[in-house]
Short mmCIF file of all heavy atoms in Angstrom, two decimals:
data_model
loop_
_atom_site.label_atom_id
_atom_site.label_comp_id
_atom_site.label_asym_id
_atom_site.label_seq_id
_atom_site.Cartn_x
_atom_site.Cartn_y
_atom_site.Cartn_z
N THR A 1458 10.23 10.74 0.05
CA THR A 1458 9.75 12.05 -0.39
C THR A 1458 10.30 12.39 -1.76
O THR A 1458 9.58 12.87 -2.64
CB THR A 1458 10.17 13.12 0.62
OG1 THR A 1458 9.61 12.82 1.90
CG2 THR A 1458 9.68 14.50 0.19
N VAL A 1459 11.60 12.15 -1.97
CA VAL A 1459 12.20 12.43 -3.27
C VAL A 1459 11.66 11.48 -4.34
O VAL A 1459 11.42 11.89 -5.48
CB VAL A 1459 13.74 12.33 -3.16
CG1 VAL A 1459 14.38 12.52 -4.53
CG2 VAL A 1459 14.28 13.37 -2.19
N LEU A 1460 11.47 10.22 -3.98
CA LEU A 1460 10.92 9.27 -4.96
C LEU A 1460 9.54 9.70 -5.43
O LEU A 1460 9.22 9.57 -6.62
CB LEU A 1460 10.86 7.87 -4.34
CG LEU A 1460 12.19 7.14 -4.13
CD1 LEU A 1460 11.95 5.79 -3.49
CD2 LEU A 1460 12.94 6.98 -5.44
N GLN A 1461 8.72 10.18 -4.52
CA GLN A 1461 7.40 10.67 -4.92
C GLN A 1461 7.53 11.84 -5.88
O GLN A 1461 6.80 11.93 -6.88
CB GLN A 1461 6.60 11.09 -3.69
CG GLN A 1461 6.17 9.96 -2.79
CD GLN A 1461 5.34 10.46 -1.64
OE1 GLN A 1461 4.13 10.67 -1.76
NE2 GLN A 1461 5.96 10.67 -0.49
N GLU A 1462 8.44 12.74 -5.59
CA GLU A 1462 8.64 13.91 -6.44
C GLU A 1462 9.14 13.52 -7.82
O GLU A 1462 8.68 14.05 -8.84
CB GLU A 1462 9.61 14.86 -5.75
CG GLU A 1462 9.96 16.08 -6.57
CD GLU A 1462 11.04 16.92 -5.92
OE1 GLU A 1462 11.24 16.80 -4.69
OE2 GLU A 1462 11.71 17.69 -6.65
N VAL A 1463 10.09 12.61 -7.87
CA VAL A 1463 10.71 12.24 -9.14
C VAL A 1463 9.76 11.43 -10.01
O VAL A 1463 9.68 11.64 -11.23
CB VAL A 1463 12.01 11.44 -8.88
CG1 VAL A 1463 12.58 10.90 -10.18
CG2 VAL A 1463 13.04 12.33 -8.19
N THR A 1464 9.05 10.50 -9.41
CA THR A 1464 8.21 9.58 -10.20
C THR A 1464 6.77 10.03 -10.35
O THR A 1464 6.08 9.58 -11.26
CB THR A 1464 8.22 8.19 -9.54
OG1 THR A 1464 7.63 8.29 -8.23
CG2 THR A 1464 9.63 7.66 -9.41
N GLY A 1465 6.29 10.91 -9.46
CA GLY A 1465 4.88 11.27 -9.47
C GLY A 1465 3.98 10.18 -8.94
O GLY A 1465 2.76 10.23 -9.12
N ILE A 1466 4.54 9.19 -8.26
CA ILE A 1466 3.78 8.06 -7.74
C ILE A 1466 3.55 8.25 -6.25
O ILE A 1466 4.50 8.57 -5.51
CB ILE A 1466 4.53 6.74 -7.99
CG1 ILE A 1466 4.83 6.57 -9.49
CG2 ILE A 1466 3.73 5.55 -7.48
CD1 ILE A 1466 5.69 5.38 -9.81
N PRO A 1467 2.33 8.08 -5.75
CA PRO A 1467 2.08 8.24 -4.31
C PRO A 1467 2.89 7.25 -3.48
O PRO A 1467 3.24 6.16 -3.94
CB PRO A 1467 0.57 7.97 -4.18
CG PRO A 1467 0.02 8.18 -5.55
CD PRO A 1467 1.10 7.79 -6.50
N GLU A 1468 3.17 7.65 -2.26
CA GLU A 1468 3.97 6.82 -1.36
C GLU A 1468 3.34 5.46 -1.14
O GLU A 1468 4.02 4.44 -1.08
CB GLU A 1468 4.17 7.54 -0.03
CG GLU A 1468 5.01 6.78 0.97
CD GLU A 1468 5.19 7.53 2.27
OE1 GLU A 1468 5.97 8.50 2.29
OE2 GLU A 1468 4.55 7.15 3.27
N THR A 1469 2.02 5.42 -1.01
CA THR A 1469 1.34 4.14 -0.77
C THR A 1469 1.56 3.16 -1.91
O THR A 1469 1.71 1.96 -1.68
CB THR A 1469 -0.16 4.37 -0.56
OG1 THR A 1469 -0.68 5.12 -1.68
CG2 THR A 1469 -0.41 5.16 0.71
N GLU A 1470 1.58 3.67 -3.14
CA GLU A 1470 1.81 2.80 -4.30
C GLU A 1470 3.28 2.38 -4.38
O GLU A 1470 3.59 1.26 -4.78
CB GLU A 1470 1.40 3.52 -5.58
CG GLU A 1470 -0.08 3.87 -5.65
CD GLU A 1470 -0.93 2.69 -6.06
OE1 GLU A 1470 -0.44 1.54 -6.01
OE2 GLU A 1470 -2.08 2.90 -6.45
N LEU A 1471 4.19 3.28 -4.02
CA LEU A 1471 5.60 2.92 -4.04
C LEU A 1471 5.90 1.81 -3.04
O LEU A 1471 6.72 0.94 -3.30
CB LEU A 1471 6.45 4.15 -3.72
CG LEU A 1471 6.54 5.23 -4.81
CD1 LEU A 1471 7.20 6.48 -4.25
CD2 LEU A 1471 7.30 4.73 -6.02
N ILE A 1472 5.23 1.86 -1.89
CA ILE A 1472 5.52 0.90 -0.83
C ILE A 1472 4.78 -0.41 -1.04
O ILE A 1472 5.32 -1.49 -0.83
CB ILE A 1472 5.17 1.51 0.53
CG1 ILE A 1472 6.12 2.69 0.84
CG2 ILE A 1472 5.25 0.47 1.65
CD1 ILE A 1472 5.79 3.43 2.10
N ASP A 1473 3.53 -0.33 -1.45
CA ASP A 1473 2.72 -1.55 -1.51
C ASP A 1473 1.86 -1.52 -2.77
O ASP A 1473 0.65 -1.34 -2.71
CB ASP A 1473 1.85 -1.66 -0.26
CG ASP A 1473 1.23 -3.04 -0.11
OD1 ASP A 1473 1.62 -3.94 -0.86
OD2 ASP A 1473 0.35 -3.21 0.76
N PHE A 1474 2.49 -1.70 -3.91
CA PHE A 1474 1.79 -1.65 -5.20
C PHE A 1474 1.05 -2.97 -5.44
O PHE A 1474 1.60 -4.04 -5.20
CB PHE A 1474 2.78 -1.39 -6.33
CG PHE A 1474 2.14 -1.37 -7.69
CD1 PHE A 1474 1.47 -0.26 -8.14
CD2 PHE A 1474 2.22 -2.49 -8.52
CE1 PHE A 1474 0.88 -0.24 -9.39
CE2 PHE A 1474 1.64 -2.49 -9.77
CZ PHE A 1474 0.97 -1.36 -10.21
N GLU A 1475 -0.16 -2.86 -5.92
CA GLU A 1475 -0.96 -4.05 -6.20
C GLU A 1475 -1.26 -4.10 -7.69
O GLU A 1475 -1.99 -3.25 -8.21
CB GLU A 1475 -2.27 -4.01 -5.41
CG GLU A 1475 -3.06 -5.30 -5.46
CD GLU A 1475 -2.37 -6.45 -4.73
OE1 GLU A 1475 -1.63 -6.17 -3.75
OE2 GLU A 1475 -2.55 -7.60 -5.13
#
Side-chain angles (χ1 to χ4, degrees):
T1458 300
V1459 176
L1460 288 179
Q1461 291 183 83
E1462 177 186 339
V1463 173
T1464 63
I1466 304 174
E1468 181 179 286
T1469 54
E1470 297 280 16
L1471 288 170
I1472 294 175
D1473 193 10
F1474 178 80
E1475 189 67 30

